[in-house]
Amino acid sequence: MKKQKALIFRCSSCGHEEAKWLGRCPSCGEWNTLVEEVAAAHISGGAKTERRIPQSFPLARVSVEDTTRLSSGIEELDRVLGGGIMRRSVTLVGGEPGIGKSTLLLQAAAAIPAKGRILYISGEESAGQIKLRADRLKLNYTNIEIFCSGVLPEIETVLNALHPILVIVDSAQTLYSPDLGSAPCTINQMKYCSFELINWVKDHDAALFLVAHITKDGLIAGPKTLEHMVDTVLYFEQTDAESRFLRASKNRFGSVDEIGIFTMSEKGLLPVEDPSLLFLVRRDNQLPPGIATASVLEGSRCLLVEIQALTVPAKGGISRVFSDKIDGARVSRVAATLEKNLALRLSDQDIYVNVAGGIRINEVGLDLALAAALYSARTGIPLPLRSAVSGELTLAAEVMPVKRLDGRLKAAAGLGFDFFAGPRAENISIPNGITFYAAKTLGEAIKALFAS
Ligand code: TYD
Ligand code: MG
């Protein structure tokens, strides 16, 4: 007797599975999102799966050649990946529609030094559209093969004929396999097809980039369900019309602290040579109150970033913190430290904090600059022009050492800063033209910064 296919109902919003249809997903609460599909256990089988004899091998026999990397030809992208594209690696590139994912990957495909074929698979744009874009960006596309389809068996045929070293899939959401019972664009389709492509690149020594669209709240469940299947997850963020930040949120082959900074121009995505220029506002005479410049470490780079603070009396006496670029809990902690140690009343104020250029910063060395900005905002006394600050604060208002103080001082000196307040440190070389004040406590640092 023919075995009947088992059906399940899966939420197209969060991926939750149910045995029967429901009007509302019990997991995410969305209405009418459950769609019928064949249970995964019933899809495999048939002629397609060739059985290999499973075999283990000694770890000692694994060749280290496996760790060779291929440069993407774009330094900012290589840095975020941890030094280039790893062989057999899979990278998910997420971001809102229109942010520049396709542009970045097309530019990378053209910039990769020729070592083999690069296959760009697009289920979203036509070959003509991609050619127009490549021409407009004046790319050298001699190594790029293009295939406009999202149908998995067709893609597999092309892969087996071409044997590319790099495969770019734009986007995972357009992948579709008729082998699977469910409709196109469902989470199961995306997961199943991505899984098959991941297996192909791992078996054939290639690398894969999967593009995934995410919505404004960044929490669309679809691409999130791919995260555990891939080696690296990169997210593209936009802060203003032109700037784009590329961050790794997972990286099996490198750190997740690095960011790639680009501007979108009519020539495509351009790497930003001097990122500090994006995060500083040039002022000639005097700083307004509430502005401090922090010398922070972002991955392997030192950046100078303007911190802006504003305090206004809180309505009803309940103080609130409005800060989306610096963690609100950190702002509250630094404000409490200021209040306790310098008798500066902030607990009856609403506190607004912003970072010029819209970059998000989590680095510990930011504390002292944040304290200086809050102090300046509350007292109305501006910081001196061309002063920079670095240092972590303890709850007892001590200034703690920060990593790579030398580099932070050098970056500040290079941008024309002439005063730097930071933690005490041994054996640091102070660049010409900058006065370094080593503070033991928050009180000392504030005194030195606001002395003039
Ligand atoms: P795109 O790479 O298509 O975004 P995604 O793949 O993430 O959806 O980028 C589209 C946007 O970028 C579009 O709004 C136009 C803009 N853009 C430029 O400003 N300059 C350029 O050279 C290119 C190619 C795109
Ligand atoms: Mg696109």
Side-chain angles (χ1 to χ4, degrees):
M1 198 174 83
K2 202 177 165 206
K3 208 171 155 190
Q4 234 190 339
K5 281 184 178 178
L7 292 178
I8 54 159
F9 296 86
R10 187 183 298 278
C11 171
S12 54
S13 169
C14 73
H16 175 78
E17 261 178 41
E18 278 290 321
K20 59 180 190 319
W21 190 84
L22 296 171
R24 188 180 191 193
C25 170
S27 171
C28 68
E30 291 288 321
W31 288 93
N32 289 327
T33 51
L34 264 64
V35 286
E36 183 184 284
E37 62 184 50
V38 181
H42 290 252
I43 330 161
S44 58
K48 203 176 156 202
T49 38
E50 263 173 53
R51 287 251 159 247
R52 270 186 288 182
I53 300 163
Q55 210 178 10
S56 67
F57 48 88
L59 181 58
R61 270 220 327 248
V62 177
S63 136
V64 271
E65 260 178 67
D66 287 356
T67 55
T68 42
R69 291 179 189 261
L70 175 72
S71 168
S72 70
I74 300 178
E75 206 186 311
E76 295 291 298
L77 177 59
D78 282 352
R79 191 203 340 265
V80 182
L81 289 169
I85 308 165
M86 195 77 134
R87 253 168 68 188
R88 290 190 216 122
S89 70
V90 180
T91 307
L92 183 72
V93 181
E96 285 169 26
I99 202 160
K101 302 179 292 296
S102 308
T103 309
L104 177 72
L105 292 178
L106 190 63
Q107 284 183 226
I112 290 171
K115 288 215 175 104
R117 290 298 206 176
I118 294 158
L119 178 63
Y120 189 104
I121 301 166
S122 181
E124 304 206 337
E125 288 163 298
S126 68
Q129 277 173 305
I130 297 166
K131 175 93 189 300
L132 269 178
R133 174 179 298 184
D135 282 337
R136 202 158 49 76
L137 300 179
K138 300 199 170 57
L139 300 179
N140 165 15
Y141 40 71
T142 37
N143 275 315
I144 307 179
E145 286 278 322
I146 192 118
F147 183 56
C148 292
S149 167
V151 181
L152 185 68
E154 292 180 5
I155 294 174
E156 285 173 327
T157 309
V158 171
L159 285 173
N160 289 324
L162 190 72
H163 280 276
I165 54 158
L166 180 74
V167 185
I168 296 167
V169 174
D170 191 359
S171 64
Q173 275 114 330
T174 57
L175 292 173
Y176 170 71
S177 168
D179 288 354
L180 211 67
S182 55
C185 304
T186 55
I187 292 181
N188 225 25
Q189 281 283 5
M190 182 182 67
K191 272 170 82 174
Y192 173 78
C193 298
S194 302
F195 184 72
E196 292 290 305
L197 293 179
I198 291 170
N199 280 343
W200 192 93
V201 295
K202 302 253 172 198
D203 286 349
H204 294 83
D205 272 356
L208 173 67
F209 278 93
L210 279 170
V211 171
H213 297 293
I214 57 167
T215 48
K216 266 255 177 310
D217 58 10
L219 266 180
I220 186 161
K224 280 258 170 229
T225 61
L226 294 180
E227 286 189 351
H228 72 278
M229 291 161 49
V230 303
D231 302 303
T232 305
V233 179
L234 305 183
Y235 279 111
F236 228 160
E237 294 171 16
Q238 178 169 14
T239 52
D240 54 38
E242 282 94 39
S243 322
R244 303 283 188 277
F245 301 134
L246 190 64
R247 285 180 191 272
S249 72
K250 164 181 175 179
N251 195 350
R252 285 198 183 132
F253 308 122
S255 112
V256 289
D257 298 330
E258 298 288 350
I259 57 169
I261 305 174
F262 299 91
T263 50
M264 179 62 97
S265 70
E266 61 290 1
K267 293 197 209 95
L269 285 159
L270 303 175
V272 176
E273 311 249 307
D274 187 355
S276 283
L277 298 179
L278 278 181
F279 315 124
L280 289 178
V281 183
R282 288 273 165 210
R283 294 189 181 83
D284 294 330
N285 305 316
Q286 203 190 11
L287 290 183
I291 304 285
T293 306
S295 190
V296 294
L297 204 57
E298 264 291 342
S300 55
R301 279 188 294 203
C302 295
L303 300 180
L304 278 111
V305 175
E306 179 175 297
I307 314 292
Q308 304 161 354
L310 169 72
T311 61
V312 289
K315 291 180 200 80
I318 299 165
S319 160
R320 285 172 302 173
V321 170
F322 301 89
S323 172
D324 56 352
K325 300 300 171 206
I326 299 174
D327 179 31
R330 179 201 289 247
V331 177
S332 301
R333 173 172 57 79
V334 170
T337 313
L338 273 170
E339 176 146 350
K340 176 83 178 174
N341 289 279
L342 301 183
L344 181 76
R345 195 154 162 86
L346 286 161
S347 54
D348 58 355
Q349 303 286 308
D350 279 343
I351 299 172
Y352 296 81
V353 174
N354 196 17
V355 179
I359 187 170
R360 262 193 298 126
I361 302 181
N362 305 315
E363 209 252 333
V364 289
L366 184 77
D367 286 355
L368 193 58
L370 180 58
L374 286 170
Y375 185 92
S376 166
R378 183 69 177 104
T379 58
I381 309 169
L383 277 135
L385 201 64
R386 293 188 293 279
S387 59
V389 189
S390 262
E392 184 182 351
L393 281 177
T394 65
L395 288 179
E398 299 146 298
V399 180
M400 300 303 284
V402 287
K403 274 194 272 173
R404 300 211 9 228
L405 185 58
D406 285 76
R408 296 176 200 242
L409 271 157
K410 216 168 124 204
L415 284 165
F417 286 80
D418 55 21
F419 185 81
F420 196 110
R424 295 205 299 181
E426 277 158 29
N427 303 328
I428 53 158
S429 53
I430 294 156
N432 284 337
I434 204 161
T435 307
F436 177 63
Y437 180 82
K440 217 162 67 176
T441 63
L442 172 61
E444 281 181 14
I446 292 288
K447 214 160 143 194
L449 280 164
F450 291 87
S452 49

